[in-house]
Amino acid sequence: MTEQLTDIVANLTTGENKTKEAVFVEAIDNLESSELSLLLESLPIAERWERWQQVAQDSQIAVLVHMRSDARQSILEQFSDESLHDLLKDAHADDLIELADTLPDSVVDAVLESMDDRQKQYYDQVTQYGNDQIGHYLDRSFKMFPETARVQDALRAIRKGIAPYTNHIYLVKRGVLTGIVDIDQLYQAESSVVLKSLMLDNLVSIQAGSDLLNATEKMEHCGFSSLPVVDDNNFLIGRLTLRTALELTRMNYESKLMATAGLNENEDLFAPVMRSSKRRATWLGINLLTAFLASWTIGLFEATLEKVVALAVLMPIVASMGGIAGSQTLTLIIRGIATGHISSGNIRNLLSKELGVGVINGILWALVIGLAAGLWFQSQMIGIVIASAIAINILAAALAGVLIPILLNRFKIDPALSGSVILTTVTDVVGFVTFLGLGTYLLL
Amino acid sequence: MTEQLTDIVANLTTGENKTKEAVFVEAIDNLESSELSLLLESLPIAERWERWQQVAQDSQIAVLVHMRSDARQSILEQFSDESLHDLLKDAHADDLIELADTLPDSVVDAVLESMDDRQKQYYDQVTQYGNDQIGHYLDRSFKMFPETARVQDALRAIRKGIAPYTNHIYLVKRGVLTGIVDIDQLYQAESSVVLKSLMLDNLVSIQAGSDLLNATEKMEHCGFSSLPVVDDNNFLIGRLTLRTALELTRMNYESKLMATAGLNENEDLFAPVMRSSKRRATWLGINLLTAFLASWTIGLFEATLEKVVALAVLMPIVASMGGIAGSQTLTLIIRGIATGHISSGNIRNLLSKELGVGVINGILWALVIGLAAGLWFQSQMIGIVIASAIAINILAAALAGVLIPILLNRFKIDPALSGSVILTTVTDVVGFVTFLGLGTYLLL
């Protein structure tokens, strides 16, 4: 958070209501709507609602659009259907697309009903793409001309104003994208020149059905501030800006980061306690099942544990080392999938590299831990048992760390979310079974 | 990875050398240099070096600049100092800044020696900023004019060509940034108009000493494709583009994601096995210390475990539930710090919310697990012992999950890196001590 915002938040969470009001009035004057969204998201729910009511009605939609959906919902659920409709009466199709998942269906339908046909058509066009496709995140503020139009026609339109991130105009022939023209070239050409003759040599565009990673990668590498987006028939339907690419990239990583703890990327920092507890309970419940599985595995060796209590003392070490080694491999693979470095072509090489690392660290830590445990419990045999279990578990962790995320990804399940639960189950069970099994065999 | 790249990688990791060469020649023709970097990073080291040698010498620097430092190093370490110098003889100061951390100091000095004074001066100017400051990531390809220059002067310079992401020119007075002019306005003005009269109303710029999060946030919110960057005396020294902001944002999140497993964001997917093993060994060693601490805690209750072996079977559940609950809070806070939502102003509110969630989930899971364990071991007392331990540990986890990252962040230690180790230590020790301690007290 910028220092400016930090100060504002500090003022809004302490102090009297009168001061807060004044502080927020100043904030409204000085901040962009997306900064106001960030600011509201950073406030506890009650305070957030108080400040929200100070936002002028004609900026409310812009602020809502930039909020993450959970925080936005905390505001929208205070509205009656009627006042929602009032709020949204001047919303554009763009806005409605962003807000739809936090609005009751009946409200969305009613707002659509009151829109003109072009807006409605646009809404339908965009929402046919899922939110994992770039078509869902289109920007409509581009300039488009027939190939046969002339420089003067384009300049006339441009002089009326262009949207941010615009360095190009798009050419179409019966709706189909055929070319891109640099606006600087327009200014430098004779006014009667036909636009087609100014087209850039290569036509870079994005398919609306592309997945987000593909599209944002293309956006980043192309060197343009925005790229045209086309449907399956190459009809020009919108554009993707570098700013949207930045937001999508951030959301992608946030979702990976949050998923490692079973959280959603939209999770509101100040979600109501009951709602937040309920969501987290699900994740705790899933993990409890794996913990019970691990306990059950241990229970199989109750008789051994009764006789050699040292095994009970040492067993968390075996599970923990496997879990840590596995999560290193898992995280490397999850990152590689997110950055686009991993594909079917290099999995085999990766697996053999990770197994190599597993062998080396397996042997190293087997020796260290075996020695330490042997000295601690004054038993060579205990040292041998734990050393073998550590080596086997670290190797199993490397194997699981590569295969689990790749299989999950192939089945379109986010490996960042479920990868670590499955991995921990594997390393716990393998760890306890080898350690207690070897202990039973060698120590009794 | 795009389908195109996936196919290329598949072809390059299998097949004969002759096919590989042909595939890569085609890739070079069709891909941007940053895509070539991604492609090379996705190849095993030996293959990477083979293909690298096919890259034309005049593109090599551009490809190296876009590579992550570890992968780049895997190539550069094949060079002798002499051939490095040859490679870098035409490098610009910009390139050298990017490459410096993967080059021997003597080579950097020698290359600097051969640069002209302006480039050398620029190098010194930028490298006085650390790589946690935006000044380190400047782009020099901006157009700057004296306030008193005229539209015709600016247009003459612009017609010679402008860099990507350029919609504005910058105005200076004795080197100090005084204004920004929209290029579209230039084209629409009379050629004799003084530039100063076309300045935008507000002058948005970034301080070179800003941290990365602040600067990229500003970049995202401002609606521009690039922003001017000034030093402490408001001298214009460069610009930040939205593309750089995108790259920095990604690196920031990658570093958070990788840090959760003790990895570096530059980690090469195909790092040599020995090097990779060595790095991971450090992390495994640190975690081993905490695992030994947990074991030692368990060891304190050896006498209890000998008598009630059920405690040994159940204890991983107590530790695991605390660890999972804590990591949910920890991850939420780490994300909040990364997105700029958390500041000193709202920590208190966050802590009380997370403790609230901890109380509810603590009670819920205490009941569930207490009941299950009581039934499993046919002992009401065991149920009571584990229920109390679970409730206490989940509450401790909530407290630790908020305080640990915030304290670490205050001491400028990345909470994503060390947060989870410290948290696990807390939840393991609290879990084992309360569970085995209560067990000793109530069951013996």
Side-chain angles (χ1 to χ4, degrees):
Chain A
M1 196 179 279
T2 59
E3 275 172 41
Q4 187 192 10
L5 283 184
T6 303
D7 288 347
I8 299 174
V9 171
N11 277 314
L12 291 178
T13 51
T14 53
E16 286 169 46
N17 204 31
K18 216 164 176 185
T19 342
K20 291 183 189 177
E21 260 173 45
V23 167
F24 198 68
V25 166
E26 211 191 308
I28 290 177
D29 286 345
N30 292 319
L31 299 177
E32 300 288 333
S33 56
S34 54
E35 287 173 299
L36 275 181
S37 310
L38 182 70
L39 178 57
L40 287 169
E41 286 173 348
S42 306
L43 297 176
I45 287 203
E47 186 60 33
R48 187 187 288 162
W49 175 245
E50 286 296 319
R51 293 311 132 232
W52 163 258
Q53 291 171 300
Q54 284 184 257
V55 179
Q57 190 152 12
D58 58 354
S59 332
Q60 289 188 334
I61 288 183
V63 172
L64 283 175
V65 162
H66 284 106
M67 285 175 93
R68 286 143 208 275
S69 57
D70 283 12
R72 185 198 300 145
Q73 190 137 33
S74 77
I75 288 174
L76 289 179
E77 64 197 7
Q78 309 287 330
F79 280 77
S80 67
D81 277 14
E82 204 168 278
S83 53
L84 271 182
H85 201 264
D86 198 45
L87 171 75
L88 296 165
K89 66 182 186 301
D90 301 321
H92 291 271
D94 284 341
D95 304 323
L96 192 62
I97 291 161
E98 290 276 350
L99 303 179
D101 60 341
T102 40
L103 292 171
D105 287 347
S106 59
V107 172
V108 174
D109 291 343
V111 177
L112 272 177
E113 214 40 55
S114 64
M115 279 185 178
D116 65 38
D117 283 348
R118 253 186 75 200
Q119 298 257 345
K120 233 183 289 186
Q121 199 188 343
Y122 178 69
Y123 183 90
D124 291 338
Q125 192 173 41
V126 168
T127 50
Q128 69 179 281
Y129 297 102
N131 55 14
D132 56 343
Q133 294 179 303
I134 204 67
H136 200 84
Y137 305 91
L138 294 187
D139 178 313
R140 255 189 332 165
S141 51
F142 58 90
K143 297 276 181 202
M144 154 178 105
F145 301 90
E147 289 186 328
T148 51
R150 290 171 194 277
V151 166
Q152 63 211 20
D153 307 319
L155 286 180
R156 203 177 310 119
I158 287 171
R159 289 209 175 97
K160 289 184 192 146
I162 48 176
Y165 314 116
T166 307
N167 298 78
H168 301 94
I169 59 168
Y170 305 140
L171 303 189
V172 290
K173 189 173 176 179
R174 286 187 226 103
V176 171
L177 178 73
T178 57
I180 299 180
V181 175
D182 191 325
I183 290 180
D184 283 311
Q185 294 301 315
L186 286 180
Y187 282 115
Q188 294 170 33
E190 296 293 329
S191 62
S192 62
V193 166
V194 173
L195 292 177
K196 192 176 175 180
S197 66
L198 297 174
M199 285 192 323
L200 298 181
D201 290 341
N202 62 343
L203 172 56
V204 196
S205 68
I206 295 178
Q207 291 286 332
S210 312
D211 64 41
L212 304 185
L213 182 62
N214 258 327
T216 53
E217 252 184 48
K218 199 163 190 174
M219 188 75 239
E220 184 180 341
H221 295 304
C222 73
F224 286 21
S225 306
S226 56
L227 279 180
V229 178
V230 295
D231 69 9
D232 288 346
N233 303 313
N234 277 322
F235 277 97
L236 176 62
I237 59 173
R239 65 169 189 164
L240 175 67
T241 66
L242 195 52
R243 175 174 174 168
T244 304
L246 193 159
E247 286 173 18
L248 292 174
T249 302
R250 202 184 45 211
M251 288 315 268
N252 180 33
Y253 279 103
E254 275 186 40
S255 86
K256 299 272 169 284
L257 185 66
M258 296 292 271
T260 59
L263 298 167
N264 186 288
E265 75 270 25
N266 283 310
E267 182 78 21
D268 182 355
L269 204 53
F270 289 105
V273 170
M274 275 313 291
R275 191 177 297 170
S276 188
S277 303
K278 208 167 140 190
R279 284 193 190 160
R280 297 209 201 156
T282 315
W283 188 244
L284 285 163
I286 293 170
N287 278 277
L288 180 61
L289 291 181
T290 85
F292 263 119
L293 181 64
S295 278
W296 176 78
T297 315
I298 298 170
L300 297 178
F301 300 95
E302 234 176 291
T304 310
L305 288 170
E306 257 170 27
K307 288 181 198 126
V308 194
V309 77
L311 295 179
V313 175
L314 291 171
M315 65 187 186
I317 295 181
V318 180
S320 153
M321 291 300 276
I324 296 291
S327 81
Q328 294 200 301
T329 302
L330 178 72
T331 306
L332 189 76
I333 306 289
I334 289 174
R335 198 274 298 250
I337 294 173
T339 52
H341 282 87
I342 292 178
S343 63
S344 51
N346 54 15
I347 293 171
R348 196 182 290 255
N349 309 76
L350 254 177
L351 186 61
S352 70
K353 177 217 153 198
E354 288 298 315
L355 286 178
V357 174
V359 167
I360 291 177
N361 267 312
I363 293 174
L364 171 69
W365 295 107
L367 291 175
V368 171
I369 297 169
L371 202 67
L375 288 173
W376 182 1
F377 290 95
Q378 293 293 322
S379 155
Q380 212 178 338
M381 222 37 180
I382 282 188
I384 292 173
V385 168
I386 198 170
S388 319
I390 289 280
I392 292 170
N393 206 19
I394 289 184
L395 203 61
L399 190 67
V402 175
L403 295 184
I404 290 169
I406 284 175
L407 286 176
L408 288 173
N409 196 50
R410 193 157 297 171
F411 292 110
K412 309 257 173 216
I413 302 169
D414 183 2
L417 180 65
S418 35
S420 66
V421 182
I422 303 178
L423 179 85
T424 313
T425 310
V426 171
T427 53
D428 276 3
V429 171
V430 171
F432 292 135
V433 168
T434 52
F435 182 54
L436 299 177
L438 281 171
T440 308
Y441 188 71
L442 294 174
L443 293 171
L444 291 191
Chain B
M1 195 179 281
T2 58
E3 274 172 41
Q4 186 191 13
L5 283 183
T6 303
D7 289 347
I8 299 174
V9 170
N11 278 315
L12 291 178
T13 50
T14 53
E16 285 170 46
N17 204 31
K18 219 164 175 184
T19 341
K20 291 181 187 177
E21 259 173 47
V23 167
F24 198 70
V25 165
E26 212 192 308
I28 291 176
D29 287 344
N30 293 319
L31 299 177
E32 300 288 332
S33 55
S34 55
E35 287 174 299
L36 276 181
S37 310
L38 182 71
L39 178 57
L40 287 169
E41 286 172 347
S42 306
L43 296 176
I45 287 205
E47 186 60 34
R48 187 187 289 163
W49 175 245
E50 286 296 319
R51 293 311 133 229
W52 163 259
Q53 290 170 301
Q54 284 183 257
V55 179
Q57 190 152 11
D58 57 356
S59 332
Q60 289 189 334
I61 288 182
V63 172
L64 283 175
V65 161
H66 284 106
M67 286 177 93
R68 285 143 208 274
S69 56
D70 283 12
R72 185 198 300 146
Q73 190 138 32
S74 77
I75 289 174
L76 290 179
E77 65 196 8
Q78 308 287 329
F79 279 77
S80 66
D81 277 14
E82 206 168 279
S83 54
L84 271 182
H85 200 264
D86 199 45
L87 171 74
L88 296 165
K89 67 180 186 302
D90 301 320
H92 291 271
D94 284 342
D95 304 324
L96 193 61
I97 291 161
E98 289 275 353
L99 302 178
D101 61 340
T102 40
L103 291 170
D105 287 347
S106 60
V107 172
V108 175
D109 291 342
V111 176
L112 272 177
E113 214 41 55
S114 64
M115 279 183 179
D116 66 38
D117 282 349
R118 253 187 76 200
Q119 298 260 342
K120 232 183 291 188
Q121 201 188 340
Y122 177 69
Y123 183 90
D124 290 338
Q125 193 174 40
V126 168
T127 50
Q128 69 179 282
Y129 297 102
N131 54 15
D132 57 343
Q133 294 179 301
I134 203 68
H136 200 84
Y137 304 91
L138 294 187
D139 178 313
R140 255 191 332 166
S141 51
F142 58 91
K143 298 275 181 202
M144 155 177 102
F145 301 90
E147 292 187 325
T148 52
R150 290 170 194 277
V151 166
Q152 64 209 23
D153 308 318
L155 285 180
R156 202 177 311 122
I158 287 172
R159 289 210 174 99
K160 289 184 191 147
I162 49 177
Y165 313 116
T166 307
N167 297 80
H168 300 94
I169 58 169
Y170 304 140
L171 303 189
V172 291
K173 188 173 176 179
R174 286 187 225 103
V176 171
L177 178 73
T178 56
I180 299 180
V181 175
D182 192 325
I183 289 180
D184 283 311
Q185 294 301 313
L186 285 181
Y187 283 115
Q188 293 170 34
E190 296 292 327
S191 63
S192 62
V193 166
V194 174
L195 292 177
K196 193 176 174 178
S197 66
L198 297 175
M199 286 192 323
L200 298 181
D201 290 340
N202 62 344
L203 173 56
V204 195
S205 68
I206 295 177
Q207 291 286 332
S210 311
D211 64 40
L212 305 185
L213 182 60
N214 259 327
T216 53
E217 252 184 51
K218 199 164 190 173
M219 187 75 238
E220 185 180 340
H221 295 304
C222 72
F224 286 22
S225 306
S226 56
L227 279 180
V229 178
V230 296
D231 69 9
D232 288 345
N233 303 313
N234 277 322
F235 276 97
L236 176 62
I237 59 173
R239 66 168 189 163
L240 174 67
T241 65
L242 195 54
R243 174 174 175 170
T244 304
L246 193 160
E247 286 173 18
L248 292 173
T249 302
R250 200 184 45 212
M251 288 315 269
N252 180 34
Y253 280 103
E254 276 186 41
S255 86
K256 298 274 169 282
L257 185 67
M258 296 292 270
T260 58
L263 298 167
N264 185 288
E265 75 270 25
N266 283 311
E267 182 80 19
D268 183 355
L269 204 55
F270 288 105
V273 170
M274 275 314 291
R275 192 176 296 168
S276 188
S277 302
K278 208 168 141 189
R279 285 194 190 159
R280 299 210 200 154
T282 316
W283 188 244
L284 284 164
I286 293 169
N287 279 278
L288 180 61
L289 291 180
T290 83
F292 263 119
L293 181 64
S295 279
W296 176 78
T297 317
I298 298 170
L300 298 177
F301 300 93
E302 233 174 292
T304 311
L305 289 170
E306 256 170 30
K307 286 179 202 130
V308 195
V309 77
L311 295 179
V313 174
L314 291 172
M315 65 187 186
I317 295 180
V318 181
S320 154
M321 290 301 277
I324 297 289
S327 80
Q328 294 200 301
T329 302
L330 178 73
T331 305
L332 189 76
I333 305 289
I334 289 173
R335 198 273 299 251
I337 293 174
T339 51
H341 283 86
I342 292 178
S343 65
S344 50
N346 54 15
I347 292 172
R348 197 183 291 254
N349 309 75
L350 254 177
L351 186 60
S352 68
K353 176 215 152 199
E354 286 299 315
L355 286 177
V357 174
V359 167
I360 291 177
N361 267 311
I363 294 174
L364 171 69
W365 295 107
L367 291 175
V368 171
I369 297 169
L371 200 69
L375 287 174
W376 184 359
F377 289 97
Q378 293 295 318
S379 155
Q380 212 179 339
M381 223 36 181
I382 283 188
I384 292 174
V385 168
I386 198 168
S388 320
I390 290 279
I392 293 171
N393 206 20
I394 288 184
L395 203 62
L399 190 68
V402 174
L403 296 184
I404 291 171
I406 284 174
L407 286 175
L408 288 173
N409 195 50
R410 193 158 295 171
F411 292 110
K412 310 252 173 222
I413 302 169
D414 183 0
L417 180 64
S418 34
S420 66
V421 182
I422 303 178
L423 179 85
T424 313
T425 310
V426 171
T427 52
D428 277 2
V429 171
V430 171
F432 292 135
V433 167
T434 51
F435 183 56
L436 298 177
L438 281 171
T440 307
Y441 188 70
L442 294 175
L443 293 171
L444 291 192

